Amino acid sequence: MSKKAEALTAENEQLRARLSALEYQIQEKEQEIHHFKNKIKISNIVDDRPVNSEDSAEMSDLINNYIQEIDHLITYLSE
């Protein structure tokens, strides 16, 4: 194999590795976006629910705790 072909083969392998890494990063970012969309939906549900202020604050705290726990689990699982 000529030097030019060897160089092109090496470059091709590097580009494939880079593409794979970028595809993985895109997949991670898409998961983060999906997670944040769900957070927004949950927040909107809490904000739109007609309840007295005491119940609303309690529910909001409960949901925020759930969201924090989910965030911790996602972080743990992504390591």
Side-chain angles (χ1 to χ4, degrees):
M1 194 177 331
S2 72
K3 289 189 178 202
K4 181 158 182 128
E6 288 176 6
L8 289 173
T9 300
E11 181 182 7
N12 188 26
E13 288 175 12
Q14 289 174 347
L15 290 172
R16 286 180 189 264
R18 177 79 173 135
L19 176 62
S20 179
L22 290 173
E23 286 173 340
Y24 180 76
Q25 287 177 354
I26 288 171
Q27 189 177 37
E28 283 183 327
K29 296 300 177 190
E30 286 174 347
Q31 288 176 352
E32 287 179 24
I33 289 170
H34 180 71
H35 175 68
F36 287 125
K37 284 181 181 178
N38 285 338
K39 275 183 156 180
I40 290 169
K41 286 179 187 177
I42 291 170
S43 294
N44 288 339
I45 289 169
V46 170
D47 290 341
D48 292 342
R49 184 168 182 256
V51 293
N52 66 43
S53 62
E54 195 173 293
D55 289 343
S56 178
E58 184 179 329
M59 181 174 281
S60 179
D61 289 342
L62 183 62
I63 290 175
N64 284 334
N65 289 337
Y66 286 146
I67 290 172
Q68 287 176 354
E69 185 63 28
I70 291 168
D71 284 341
H72 292 297
L73 291 171
I74 289 171
T75 302
Y76 174 77
L77 293 172
S78 65
E79 291 177 348

